[in-house]
Amino acid sequence: MSDLRIDGVDTVLLDLPLHRSHRFARAGMDAQPVLLVHIRTRGGVVGTGEGVVPGGPWWGGESVETMRVVIERYIAPLLLGRTVDDIAGIQRDVDDVVATNLYAKAAIEVALHDAWARCLDVPVHTLLGGLARRSVPVTWALGTEPAPVVIDEAMAKLDARLHRSFKLKMGAQSPVEDVARVCAVAEKLAGVAGVRVDLNARWDLLTSLTHLPRLVEAGVELIEQPVPGAEFEALAEINHALPIPVMADESLRTPTDALRLARLRAADVYALKTTKSGGLRHTKAIAEIAAAAGIPCHGGTSIESPLGTVASLHLACASPAVTWGSELFGPLLMRHELLTTPLRYADGELYLPDGPGLGVELDPDAVRAFTRE
Ligand code: MN
């Protein structure tokens, strides 16, 4: 086997234009910033990970700019001379120097897995214990336009057999307006497609208990993170009050969170993200805790490029607990292809590519074209 010792860590900052602007409750974006992290071995192998957050630091405090500083100034020097298969040891030593910053750590951790798997000439999922499935269903995120526009968008996706379920972002309008809009969409799609909503932690307990039952009546099948991440007890109260599943996202970043949520039965579904949790291994640990607690998981997104998306796909395919599909639609929002061979989306599913490492190759011309000056 080639020399596994790390002799270089490079970062490249990209801005990837989107087909249409993507809105969250309080933020939006026309292009998604992405930090590529390349780890090079003395044997000449390069592994790549992606630092990415949904549009900016509103979700978890990090941005691609903070990740770049933390990685270049504090993490990269710890990696030089270590071997790419020394992942647990490297993580422990990085944690001694850098607290939290889980998105930045995820970029490094995925790059280490990609490099190590390429050195072994195996896919990344082999390092995660093998496959439970080869594809995952992909829910589509509908826009924040008025209900008739959103319904047309959903119908077009259904007719083209691109997606079988939809997620609506809430929290941008007053609760009454927001609920009216979502109910109009849910009632139109009832019996045809699943409708899920994500409040991105914008409501409090009382607002949730007042307004969420109306969404249940309209046929919404899942409520994601209505209250702030730290409010586990409020999340549990909402989950116990509603007959449909509540999904934890902002509340779930570490294996410890997974244990606490399980003990409180605060969520019936866990949103897994390799990004928010610091990489593949910690996310896998969360999936194992969920499995032990009988809680199904969903493959969440931070609007990754195809590279970050495929990392999350390896995790979802290697984790038996991921039975609630995914929202790995990031590449479908992006206007230009970043890979030499695009990921395969078909019949509402995303399929795992073959090949060593993450199984994808970046197109150098595309990387150059979108590199931030
Ligand atoms: Mn979410």
Side-chain angles (χ1 to χ4, degrees), residues 5-76:
R5 281 174 293 174
I6 297 167
D7 75 354
V9 180
D10 303 302
T11 63
V12 183
L13 190 47
L14 309 181
D15 290 293
L16 302 173
L18 305 184
H19 281 296
R20 62 155 159 79
S21 69
H22 193 66
R23 298 286 318 163
F24 305 97
R26 293 287 168 82
M29 58 177 175
D30 298 314
Q32 170 67 318
V34 159
L35 184 72
L36 297 178
V37 179
H38 303 298
I39 293 181
R40 196 176 57 246
T41 68
R42 286 194 195 170
V45 170
V46 177
T48 306
E50 174 177 321
V52 62
V53 295
W58 65 274
W59 199 97
E62 292 179 78
S63 70
V64 288
E65 295 84 5
T66 70
M67 286 185 238
R68 184 171 225 178
V69 169
V70 167
I71 288 169
E72 290 185 351
R73 172 77 174 80
Y74 299 100
I75 299 180

Side-chain angles (χ1 to χ4, degrees), residues 75 80 104 146 154 195 228 288:
I75 299 180
L80 299 176
V195 174
E288 301 299 348

Side-chain angles (χ1 to χ4, degrees), residues 74-341:
Y74 299 100
I75 299 180
L78 296 175
L79 300 184
L80 299 176
R82 306 282 288 261
T83 56
V84 292
D85 64 347
D86 185 17
I87 296 176
I90 287 172
Q91 282 186 310
R92 182 196 55 210
D93 295 344
V94 167
D95 285 344
D96 285 344
V97 174
V98 179
T100 59
N101 283 280
L102 295 174
Y103 285 94
K105 290 173 181 173
I108 293 285
E109 196 258 18
V110 169
L112 288 168
H113 278 90
D114 186 36
W116 182 24
R118 285 174 192 271
C119 290
L120 295 169
D121 198 28
V122 298
V124 163
H125 60 73
T126 298
L127 304 181
L128 301 175
L131 290 178
R133 60 185 68 80
R134 294 211 64 98
S135 66
V136 288
V138 179
T139 293
W140 180 247
L142 292 168
T144 49
E145 297 86 356
V149 179
V150 167
I151 290 165
D152 285 349
E153 183 182 347
M155 288 302 183
K157 298 285 182 193
L158 279 172
D159 288 346
R161 300 183 62 200
L162 291 172
H163 302 279
R164 297 187 291 262
S165 70
F166 300 97
K167 168 166 161 173
L168 283 155
K169 288 286 187 184
M170 295 182 71
Q173 299 168 287
S174 76
V176 170
E177 292 170 313
D178 229 359
V179 165
R181 190 180 78 96
V182 169
C183 287
V185 175
E187 280 160 5
K188 195 76 185 180
L189 294 176
V192 186
V195 174
R196 305 163 180 192
V197 299
D198 187 357
L199 284 128
N200 279 119
R202 303 307 312 181
W203 284 2
D204 59 19
L205 175 61
L206 183 60
T207 307
S208 300
L209 292 176
T210 304
H211 293 283
L212 291 177
R214 176 73 191 96
L215 298 183
V216 177
E217 280 169 36
V220 168
E221 65 177 2
L222 175 140
I223 311 273
E224 182 173 341
Q225 194 72 42
V227 290
E231 296 178 15
F232 282 34
E233 288 78 11
L235 194 67
E237 198 168 331
I238 296 162
N239 192 37
H240 299 156
L242 295 180
I244 62 170
V246 167
M247 181 156 78
D249 186 9
E250 280 87 340
S251 291
L252 175 63
R253 295 197 62 177
T254 66
T256 308
D257 294 333
L259 263 178
R260 286 183 56 210
L261 291 167
R263 197 175 300 133
L264 290 167
R265 303 307 297 184
D268 290 326
V269 183
Y270 283 180
L272 305 181
K273 294 177 183 169
T274 54
T275 52
K276 70 176 179 180
S277 295
L280 299 159
R281 293 163 54 86
H282 290 333
T283 310
K284 184 88 167 125
I286 292 170
E288 301 299 348
I289 290 167
I295 296 167
C297 297
H298 169 78
T301 184
S302 302
I303 323 286
E304 295 96 327
S305 86
L307 188 107
T309 297
V310 84
S312 295
L313 180 62
H314 277 268
L315 187 277
C317 288
S319 301
V322 183
T323 54
W324 265 75
S326 83
E327 54 175 8
L328 296 176
F329 55 70
L332 299 175
L333 282 180
M334 290 167 189
R335 208 184 303 157
H336 304 282
E337 184 53 54
L338 196 61
L339 304 178
T340 54
T341 304

